Amino acid sequence: MLVEPAPPRAPAPVPTARGHRPARRGAPPWILMYHSVTEVAGPAEDPYRITVPPGRLDRQLRWLHGRGLRGVAVGALLRARAAGRGAGLVGLTFDDGYADFLSGALPVLRRHGCTATVFVLPGLPGGENSWDPLGPRKALLTDDGIRAVVDAGMEVASHGLRHQNLTTADEAALERETADSRRRLAELTGRAPDGFCYPYGAVDARAVGAVRAAGYGYACAVDPGPLTGRHALPRVHIGAADTSWRLHLKRALHPLRRRALPDDETASPVSPTRCAQGRPLSAPSGGNR
């Protein structure tokens, strides 16, 4: 179900929480990884733990707010960090581009004055998550749905063309999943996406090189280890079981379990690249490309 697009809501001011300190330079940004936001009957209907009910998302965002934190799109988070204004900001991402983002997640995000990055699959408009053999089947955003996400003030970024593992893709597929998906989204939305997300969280040096060469300013993984950097940002999975206590533990453990960003990748701003339909893409300005 699509919601009526509304003008982007001005971000809510970030409250000052007791003991809140700016992140140390180079510390990995705290980026939360969501997928589907809808009601689910029970664990048997969500074998991959990718579904968060809207009520749980609401409580999780209230938990952030109560600690002086606010969720924003990854591009905005990286630009704020580069300008020294990243304290109090948390990245929010929604993988796979599920259609329920518009009906389940967007109203909750607006309620809390948050923005988010939605990683979509331009090669599967209106399709379903066929890569999850155990199901359940979930509808993906249509082209109109992707445009509605943009109109709502969210960041749309690429999750590849058809959710293919880049570490096992041949050269032609690697080009399609990175460069072609970016081109299709530029034609669809009028803006070349600055962000990319590795399907399955699978990343290697070859995949990072292809993403960088395609002109993306940043990319998200899960736990990229020694590849950690602007084009392999670590994230933490968030599910329906994540209560306030679990969120507290995940926040505390994140800088201990994830590598710091290299020094030369902490200060480079990320600027979205606009592109008129049908025109060649240029690489985003700023950052190590």
Side-chain angles (χ1 to χ4, degrees):
M1 179 179 79
L2 297 183
V3 299
E4 187 68 25
R9 176 178 172 181
V14 178
T16 300
R18 181 177 299 178
H20 183 70
R21 291 176 290 181
R24 61 183 174 84
R25 181 176 177 81
W30 200 35
I31 302 176
L32 309 186
M33 177 178 64
Y34 289 92
H35 290 77
S36 171
V37 179
T38 189
E39 297 295 342
V40 61
E45 293 190 8
D46 188 32
Y48 298 102
R49 298 184 298 116
I50 64 169
T51 308
V52 174
R56 175 66 75 186
L57 175 62
D58 182 79
R59 290 190 290 275
Q60 290 167 346
L61 295 185
R62 273 194 278 122
W63 182 88
L64 292 178
H65 182 81
R67 280 143 192 83
L69 303 171
R70 177 165 55 86
V72 297
V74 177
L77 171 63
L78 296 179
R79 290 191 294 274
R81 282 170 59 96
R85 299 192 300 269
L89 298 182
V90 176
L92 298 181
T93 63
F94 291 80
D95 289 13
D96 302 334
Y98 290 108
D100 61 37
F101 176 84
L102 289 167
S103 57
L106 183 56
V108 182
L109 292 169
R110 283 177 169 163
R111 190 178 309 141
H112 292 276
C114 295
T115 59
T117 300
V118 184
F119 292 112
V120 302
L121 296 157
L124 295 171
E128 60 182 22
N129 57 329
S130 58
W131 57 87
D132 288 335
L134 299 180
R137 291 290 162 255
K138 291 176 175 285
L140 306 179
L141 288 164
T142 62
D143 287 349
D144 285 342
I146 291 174
R147 282 188 285 259
V149 172
V150 174
D151 291 342
M154 304 295 130
E155 179 185 27
V156 165
S158 175
H159 200 27
L161 201 60
R162 301 177 63 87
H163 205 279
Q164 184 170 351
N165 186 333
L166 298 192
T167 65
T168 59
D170 60 27
E171 292 302 319
L174 198 59
E175 175 77 9
R176 288 195 302 271
E177 293 295 313
T178 57
D180 287 359
S181 66
R182 188 167 190 256
R183 185 173 295 106
R184 287 201 192 186
L185 284 175
E187 293 170 352
L188 179 63
T189 68
R191 169 178 294 189
D194 206 53
F196 185 89
C197 176
Y198 299 97
Y200 307 102
V203 59
D204 58 15
R206 177 169 162 267
V208 170
V211 168
R212 185 184 290 114
Y216 294 98
Y218 74 86
C220 287
V222 180
D223 185 7
L227 292 173
T228 295
R230 178 62 62 107
H231 288 87
L233 295 168
R235 293 181 298 166
V236 58
H237 169 79
I238 301 296
D242 285 312
T243 60
S244 58
W245 177 239
R246 285 171 60 95
L247 289 174
H248 171 77
L249 287 176
K250 287 186 174 184
R251 183 189 178 198
L253 291 173
H254 184 66
L256 303 177
R257 300 170 71 178
R258 299 292 189 263
R259 292 173 180 250
L261 298 187
D263 289 341
D264 61 350
E265 298 199 18
T266 59
S268 301
V270 175
S271 301
T273 301
R274 293 188 177 275
C275 175
Q277 288 191 0
R279 296 183 181 178
L281 303 184
S282 59
S285 60
N288 293 334
R289 303 292 183 256

